[in-house]
Amino acid sequence: MFFVAAIVSYVFHGRRRDAGNQFRRPVRGTTAFMTALIVGEIGGFAVLLAGFVQAQLL
């Protein structure tokens, strides 16, 4: 889902010609999307790290 949303966002900002800094004039929902993306990325990394630790150390 995040991958598709990111591609759509890139196309949208490319058409607006403001791709240099997408946070200068954020569209509605940018903060919520970025927060969810950050939480998802950190959560995914935590799962991978936990699996590595379990496989290597336990």
Side-chain angles (χ1 to χ4, degrees), residues 18-39:
D18 70 345
N21 185 348
Q22 297 176 9
F23 298 106
R24 184 175 297 136
R25 292 180 297 151
V27 296
R28 184 176 179 162
T30 299
T31 301
F33 179 80
M34 291 307 294
T35 302
L37 179 61
I38 291 166
V39 168

Side-chain angles (χ1 to χ4, degrees), residues 2-49:
F2 283 117
F3 179 76
V4 173
I7 298 300
V8 170
S9 172
Y10 297 150
V11 170
F12 176 76
H13 285 289
R15 289 201 180 269
R16 283 179 54 184
R17 300 200 184 275
D18 70 345
N21 185 348
Q22 297 176 9
F23 298 106
R24 184 175 297 136
R25 292 180 297 151
V27 296
R28 184 176 179 162
T30 299
T31 301
F33 179 80
M34 291 307 294
T35 302
L37 179 61
I38 291 166
V39 168
E41 290 283 345
I42 292 172
F45 176 77
V47 168
L48 292 174
L49 181 62

